[in-house]
């Protein structure tokens, strides 16, 4: 098979690579380009030691748009035609003055062994280019020796309102390469070829050898229409290639679902959110998929399209069939997610428990969309959970126990029984099955307490209820289709 040569624009030069389309950019940088500032650490996007800037010009744009990415999770196909800036590209010639970020880190005592420092320099440069808070940009970087005090001081020294221009932050040669970048063309759906790739944030950590075997790959963010967020008559339509960062930044999403925008700060690191996509989070079908759990409670509908052009839609709860298994056919792709507007008076509550508050997989998560009237009666209730079943799980029996009821301690206790029975957690490194079941019960109480303050204390004061025969009947009824 003839190797496919990919032209990569890196810092102030070009590199031609014959690496497979799904190979990590990190390996090309270190082994082919000789750029070793990006360090291999976790190789799962958790440490930030391999951070790079990935920039491209949209057709009609004057300047490239730069994002923060983990090179260990960035396939070569994603970088083709883009401008990759590593920490080497942010340093001036030997003997010249340090840049603003390097100087701030040095002055603040934020450098010791230097292993994480290049990634941190890149992350903070991205913060200055985009106007993101430096402290927020640094959330995805782990340091094991310097201590975070110095890093915080460096972040605070760099903090200022608004973005800085590339001319202030990039050396002349790198700036010239940035200015010469050709617009990145969009790929019509009919021309998408080879394997499909969304963000790579799940594919590369879990299936690196499979990804590296692909010779031709279509990066879905380049396919026309898949990255759009559209406002419809009854809701919003999210293109499957919409990233989590774009979801957070969307005014249409913030207007309708402000709780979702806030909650997505717990979705991976800033670099992961720049790459991970709506469609990828659903198609991967992990039991703890953060966005999938939220979209289940929001009543989302997923749209699939086949290679031949045929399409079909289904409620998201019908999409998940088993552990990492979905209803998507072999030639089908998730192309969009339809999210209905919230019912007037309802609101969304989201909760996630993980070993680390940020940048971690959920142990258990809960999403609730509910409406409670002025008399305390539940007029709408839809809930979903993650980490308690082989799939992101809708909770119809729990909803049926609450819908139409007056929300008080007795009603909440009655809902605990079906909740405990319609989930099926397992023992693993994140906790025992009993712990997860109990944790989900407490998360539900916390959610109900936001509509009826004091409810959680009243239930817990009397002791948490256990599964009962009535709960089993409720689950059986919900599975038979009695619940909404």
């Amino acid at each position: 098979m003839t190797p496919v040569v990919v032209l990569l624009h890196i810092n102030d030069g070009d590199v031609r690579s014959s690496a497979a389309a799904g190979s990590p950019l990190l390996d090309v940088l270190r082994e082919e380009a000789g750029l070793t500032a990006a360090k291999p650490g976790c190789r799962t996007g958790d440490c930030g030691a391999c951070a790079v800037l990935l920039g491209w010009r949209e057709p009609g744009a004057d300047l490239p748009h730069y994002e923060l990415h983990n090179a260990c999770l960035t396939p070569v196909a994603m970088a083709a035609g883009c401008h990759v800036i590593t920490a080497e590209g942010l340093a001036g010639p030997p003997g010249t003055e340090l840049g603003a970020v390097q100087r701030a880190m040095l002055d603040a005592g934020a450098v010791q062994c230097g292993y994480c420092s290049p990634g941190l320099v890149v992350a903070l440069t991205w913060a200055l280019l985009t106007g993101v808070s430096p402290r927020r940009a640094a959330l995805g970087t782990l340091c094991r020796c310097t201590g975070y005090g110095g890093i915080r001081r460096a972040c605070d020294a760099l903090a200022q309102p608004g973005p800085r221009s590339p001319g202030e932050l990039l050396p002349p040669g790198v700036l010239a390469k940035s200015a010469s970048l050709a617009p990145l063309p969009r790929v019509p759906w009919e021309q998408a070829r080879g394997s499909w790739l969304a963000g790579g944030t799940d594919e590369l950590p879990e299936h690196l050898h499979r990804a590296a075997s692909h010779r031709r790959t279509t990066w879905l963010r380049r396919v026309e229409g898949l990255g759009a967020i559209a406002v419809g008559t009854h809701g919003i339509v999210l293109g499957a290639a919409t990233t989590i960062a774009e979801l957070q930044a969307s005014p249409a999403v913030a207007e309708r679902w402000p709780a979702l925008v806030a909650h997505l700060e717990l979705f991976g690191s800033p670099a992961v959110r720049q790459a991970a996509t709506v469609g990828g989070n659903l198609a991967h079908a992990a039991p703890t998929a953060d966005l999938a759990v939220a979209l289940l409670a929001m009543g989302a509908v997923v749209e699939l399209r086949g290679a031949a052009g045929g399409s079909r839609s289904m409620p998201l709860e019908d999409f998940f069939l088993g552990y990492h298994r979905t209803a998507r056919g072999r030639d089908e792709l998730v192309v969009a997610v339809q999210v209905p507007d919230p019912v007037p008076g309802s609101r969304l509550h989201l909760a996630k428990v993980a070993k680390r508050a940020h940048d971690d997989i959920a142990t258990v998560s809960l999403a609730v969309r509910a409406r409670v009237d002025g008399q305390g009666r539940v007029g709408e209730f839809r809930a979903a959970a993650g980490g308690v079943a082989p799939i992101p799980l809708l909770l119809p029996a729990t909803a049926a126990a609450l819908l139409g009821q007056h929300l008080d301690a007795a009603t909440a206790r009655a809902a605990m029984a079906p909740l405990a029975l319609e989930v099926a957690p397992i023992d693993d490194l994140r906790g025992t099955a009993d712990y997860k079941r109990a944790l989900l019960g407490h998360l539900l109480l916390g959610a109900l307490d936001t509509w009826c303050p004091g409810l959680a204390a009243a239930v817990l004061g009397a002791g948490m209820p256990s599964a009962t025969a009535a709960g089993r009947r409720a689950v059986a009824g919900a599975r038979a289709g009695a619940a909404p």
Side-chain angles (χ1 to χ4, degrees):
M1 180 182 295
T2 303
V4 177
V5 178
V6 177
L7 178 64
L8 301 174
H9 308 295
I10 304 176
N11 295 329
D12 59 357
D14 295 329
V15 172
R16 295 183 181 275
S17 173
S18 59
S23 298
L25 175 63
L26 176 63
D27 296 340
V28 173
L29 292 175
R30 295 180 62 83
E31 297 169 13
E32 296 187 38
L35 300 171
T36 57
K39 300 293 192 290
C42 63
R43 284 193 178 265
T44 58
D46 290 319
C47 72
C50 65
V52 297
L53 296 179
L54 191 67
W56 63 89
R57 278 182 60 197
E58 295 286 0
D62 294 330
L63 295 173
H65 162 75
Y66 285 97
E67 294 181 347
L68 179 68
H69 283 253
N70 294 305
C72 71
L73 299 183
T74 303
V76 170
M78 189 183 295
C82 298
H83 189 202
V84 179
I85 302 179
T86 69
E88 289 96 338
L90 299 175
T96 62
E97 184 66 24
L98 295 174
V101 173
Q102 294 96 326
R103 172 57 60 189
M105 289 185 61
L106 187 64
D107 292 345
V111 178
Q112 190 164 314
C113 82
Y115 200 88
C116 73
S117 302
L120 187 60
V121 166
V122 172
L124 295 182
T125 301
W126 171 72
L128 298 185
L129 282 171
T130 58
V132 172
S133 160
R135 284 201 179 200
R136 182 169 177 243
L139 281 175
T141 303
L142 297 181
C143 173
R144 298 191 63 179
C145 63
T146 302
Y148 292 104
I151 293 174
R152 291 191 189 99
R153 290 192 295 272
C155 289
D156 293 343
L158 292 168
Q160 68 171 36
R164 298 189 189 180
S165 69
E168 296 180 75
L169 300 169
L170 303 181
V174 177
L175 185 63
K177 173 59 70 173
S178 174
S180 69
L181 204 66
L184 197 63
R186 292 290 180 181
V187 179
W189 168 262
E190 297 76 15
Q191 296 179 15
R193 294 289 183 269
S195 57
W196 290 318
L197 178 71
T201 56
D202 281 319
E203 180 72 2
L204 265 67
E206 296 189 12
H207 305 291
L208 176 59
H209 296 294
R210 182 175 73 184
S213 69
H214 298 322
R215 304 308 302 178
R216 293 184 182 276
T217 298
T218 297
W219 184 25
L220 294 178
R221 288 184 70 184
R222 295 186 184 180
V223 177
E224 289 180 348
L226 292 191
I229 299 178
V231 177
T233 305
H234 303 293
I236 53 177
V237 180
L238 309 175
T242 301
T243 66
I244 304 303
E246 290 169 338
L247 199 61
Q248 285 184 287
S250 167
V253 175
E255 178 184 357
R256 290 161 176 78
W257 304 101
L260 176 65
V261 173
H263 185 72
L264 289 177
E265 280 294 304
L266 303 181
F267 188 115
S269 66
V272 167
R273 294 196 293 271
Q274 297 280 311
T277 64
V278 171
N281 193 252
L282 301 184
H284 185 63
T288 54
D290 290 346
L291 189 59
V293 173
L295 289 174
L296 277 171
M298 295 158 70
V301 173
V302 63
E303 180 183 342
L304 305 172
R305 186 184 301 172
S311 63
R312 61 190 177 115
S313 299
M314 67 181 66
L316 184 57
E317 55 267 31
D318 295 339
F319 180 69
F320 301 113
L321 302 180
Y323 183 68
H324 290 297
R325 290 177 49 240
T326 70
R328 184 175 67 89
R330 291 180 62 87
D331 70 333
E332 287 184 315
L333 183 72
V334 177
V335 294
V337 179
Q338 303 164 23
V339 185
D341 284 339
V343 175
S346 70
R347 70 173 186 264
L348 183 67
H349 175 89
L350 299 162
K352 173 181 175 179
V353 176
K355 292 189 175 182
R356 291 183 292 166
H358 292 84
D359 197 12
D360 202 1
I361 297 171
T363 299
V364 174
S365 60
L366 175 72
V368 173
R369 188 192 75 193
R371 177 171 53 87
V372 179
D373 64 24
Q375 286 71 48
R377 190 168 300 278
V378 181
E380 179 197 34
F381 196 89
R382 187 178 172 95
V388 292
I391 59 175
L393 187 66
L394 195 67
L395 303 170
T398 303
L402 291 163
L403 192 62
Q405 302 298 312
H406 185 274
L407 188 55
D408 55 20
T411 301
R413 289 179 65 84
M416 291 295 108
L419 176 69
L421 289 169
E422 65 180 336
V423 300
I426 61 172
D427 297 343
D428 60 20
L429 293 176
R430 298 186 180 278
T432 66
D434 288 342
Y435 167 72
K436 294 174 185 176
R437 187 176 279 107
L439 179 56
L440 180 60
H442 282 77
L443 291 182
L444 179 61
L445 283 180
L448 297 178
D449 197 77
T450 64
W451 280 276
C452 181
L455 179 149
V459 173
L460 293 174
M464 284 287 282
S466 59
T468 63
R472 295 184 182 91
R473 289 194 297 271
V475 173
R479 287 174 178 167

